[in-house]
Amino acid sequence: MTFWLLLYGGIPGVLAMHLQRKETKTYKIATPMTVLVLAGMAGTANMIGSDNNVGPVETAEALLHLVIPTGIYLIGSCLAIFGGPSPVGAIPKNWRRGGSILMIIAIGWVIMLSLQPENLPIETAVMNNVAISSLLIAIALVGAVGTTVVLSIGEKRWLAAIATISLSVGSIALLAILASEISEEIGDSLKSIIGTIFGIIIALWIAFHTTILIEKRSDLPKTTTPITDEEVKLVKHHLDANIRGDKIE
Amino acid sequence: MSKNSSFLSILVSIFVVIIAIGRIANWNLEDIQEIVIDILAKSLMTMTAIWLILATSSTSILHRGSAPRLQAITLLFLSLGGLGLVELLNVGVQRATLETITVQWAGLIMGSSIVLFTVLAIVTGREEEEDPLLAIDK
């Protein structure tokens, strides 16, 4: 439990500390706190496979297996987005085709990871079934929503609609092929994703309204003192000099 | 398309995909109570994690007075309440649950980003116009 508290509580906390202004005390203790949190995570992540054969290390392994194809896909799509005739930043000119090839390689990797993970150059992760089922369900759901949104906008973006519906249908087809082996993981991932979507909406709604309720009833921070007579005189003097053209004494 | 009909179409598409994947996962109407409780438990876990993340990350605004402190404490209590509600549902948070849901959240984020970047790549990739300032060199 300590590991997960540090992951979901400690990491956002120290990241926020690093965002403080440099002169604050919180910023000064940010780096030692980060070291402490990371050390705590390293110290509590040693329970490899002690419970149901999964632990933090197996989770990290599954995440790494997901990051490889997703990372390749995102790099490819960034090249396809920004590598046109007028490239952005350091991206070379006319790299759209290279980006598209990377995207296709990543899709191939995901298909291999789903159907024949043992044939990939890296060892199959212990939690591969959970990782791949949740990835495919997310693509299927968001792809279907994306298609509806693209068609609703109505600017005849047929190619985008075809791509999103293909991703969605392709993912459902892969899940159907895998159903005989991992139907339990698919069901569990589907429940988690539905629950997560509801959870995010309700949690943010409650947090937003709690913030409004607290901020409404609190006093405004005293950051400034009321303007003095001398300051009024000075402002008037500057206005006279700059707007009316009076000479400054 | 009007806003209402767009929203309705999005809901319909979500339901169609959920029903299709539910059929693949062999969901039955007899197990509906168990499925709903599981979904409820997962959404409570998500809420707990989000409130915990918001509470701990609000340290960046603590210098603004007492309101953010109260806010952070409230969110921490909400987070604890979420954990309590999960226990009330008789599901409980076990170690294997946390590992599995972490991987599932990562899968959700990565799957969503794949679809989003596909749309962006296709929509922007069709525009082949060249920056007139860069074309001056030719």
Side-chain angles (χ1 to χ4, degrees), chain A:
Chain A
M1 199 70 183
T2 318
F3 175 85
W4 302 102
L5 270 176
L6 288 169
L7 180 69
Y8 288 115
I11 294 288
V14 291
L15 282 177
M17 280 177 164
H18 280 284
L19 293 175
Q20 289 270 14
R21 280 180 295 183
K22 280 190 176 172
E23 66 270 19
T24 57
K25 279 180 190 169
T26 321
Y27 183 83
K28 281 169 190 159
I29 60 161
T31 308
M33 285 299 283
T34 311
V35 175
L36 273 177
V37 168
L38 291 177
M41 284 178 74
T44 49
N46 58 353
M47 298 156 289
I48 308 168
S50 60
D51 182 9
N52 289 348
N53 216 24
V54 286
V57 176
E58 283 83 1
T59 308
E61 184 195 27
L63 294 183
L64 187 69
H65 280 68
L66 278 183
V67 163
I68 295 169
T70 313
I72 295 172
Y73 196 89
L74 297 190
I75 292 168
S77 56
C78 281
L79 285 176
I81 294 167
F82 301 114
S86 311
V88 177
I91 294 174
K93 204 174 176 181
N94 292 323
W95 258 75
R96 278 200 172 142
R97 192 160 293 166
S100 308
I101 292 168
L102 276 181
M103 288 164 83
I104 292 165
I105 290 172
I107 289 174
W109 190 292
V110 170
I111 294 170
M112 283 292 283
L113 200 62
S114 317
L115 302 177
Q116 292 178 320
E118 63 281 356
N119 289 340
L120 283 170
I122 49 170
E123 202 180 321
T124 312
V126 175
M127 295 176 81
N128 185 55
N129 292 342
V130 178
I132 206 68
S133 59
S134 54
L135 181 79
L136 291 175
I137 292 171
I139 295 175
L141 263 175
V142 183
V145 173
T147 312
T148 319
V149 171
V150 168
L151 291 176
S152 301
I153 293 168
E155 287 180 15
K156 294 187 179 174
R157 305 260 191 207
W158 299 116
L159 210 58
I162 290 167
T164 46
I165 196 78
S166 308
L167 281 174
S168 182
V169 172
S171 302
I172 294 173
L174 276 175
L175 286 168
I177 295 168
L178 293 168
S180 57
E181 295 165 30
I182 58 163
S183 68
E184 201 181 317
E185 282 91 343
I186 294 172
D188 193 47
S189 293
L190 183 59
K191 284 181 223 165
S192 290
I193 287 173
I194 298 170
T196 303
I197 294 167
F198 278 124
I200 290 172
I201 295 168
I202 298 168
L204 290 181
W205 188 85
I206 292 176
F208 178 72
H209 283 87
T210 310
T211 308
I212 289 176
L213 205 70
I214 294 169
E215 291 278 348
K216 243 185 184 175
R217 291 178 181 186
S218 65
D219 298 327
L220 282 171
K222 287 173 186 169
T223 50
T224 52
T225 49
I227 193 163
T228 59
D229 289 343
E230 270 192 24
E231 283 167 337
V232 172
K233 258 187 199 170
L234 190 68
V235 170
K236 208 178 167 193
H237 178 72
H238 280 291
L239 285 174
D240 287 344
N242 289 291
I243 296 171
R244 289 175 53 192
D246 290 357
K247 277 188 180 176
I248 301 172
E249 291 157 14

Side-chain angles (χ1 to χ4, degrees), chain B residues 81-125:
Chain B
L83 267 183
L85 285 173
V86 175
E87 288 295 331
L88 276 181
L89 282 172
N90 290 326
V91 181
V93 183
Q94 294 147 2
R95 272 195 55 227
T97 318
L98 286 168
E99 275 105 28
T100 312
I101 206 163
T102 303
V103 175
Q104 286 164 340
W105 283 336
L108 175 64
I109 293 166
M110 291 181 197
S112 311
S113 52
I114 282 178
V115 176
L116 179 71
F117 276 80
T118 306
V119 174
L120 288 176
I122 290 171
V123 170
T124 56

